[in-house]
Amino acid sequence: RVQLSGESVSGMIDDEPVLLRGIRRKQTVEITRSQISDWMFLDDGKIRGGYTIRAFRDALGAEERAKFLASF
């Protein structure tokens, strides 16, 4: 769940971060809106946002794309 308060955004990390150190899955974090470069959430199984991951998905071949979509 994401909380908005002025210029602050807080929420729980849903996946285990790969590139970030010191942040873990299920940890609540707070950042400013200006720190957000991309965002994504699932709404009844449909991806909302996630524009970076959409570009990645669109570049995949048919078989890889089917595997990728099955992961959601």
Side-chain angles (χ1 to χ4, degrees):
R1 181 164 202 178
V2 174
Q3 303 285 326
L4 303 174
S5 178
E7 287 300 309
S8 294
V9 180
S10 62
M12 186 180 2
I13 302 297
D14 194 37
D15 286 322
E16 193 65 45
V18 175
L19 300 176
L20 298 175
R21 305 225 187 275
I23 296 177
R24 299 279 181 246
R25 185 173 187 261
K26 302 287 185 185
Q27 179 180 344
T28 299
V29 297
E30 183 174 338
I31 61 172
T32 63
R33 290 181 185 212
S34 65
Q35 291 175 284
I36 299 172
S37 61
D38 197 2
W39 52 272
M40 182 182 89
F41 66 93
L42 295 177
D43 181 18
D44 198 24
K46 184 171 182 172
I47 296 174
R48 302 289 184 185
Y51 300 105
T52 301
I53 203 166
R54 289 175 190 237
F56 171 77
R57 175 203 64 196
D58 292 347
L60 295 174
E63 185 175 329
E64 292 86 6
R65 186 174 181 168
K67 289 178 187 177
F68 173 80
L69 293 174
S71 70
F72 289 97

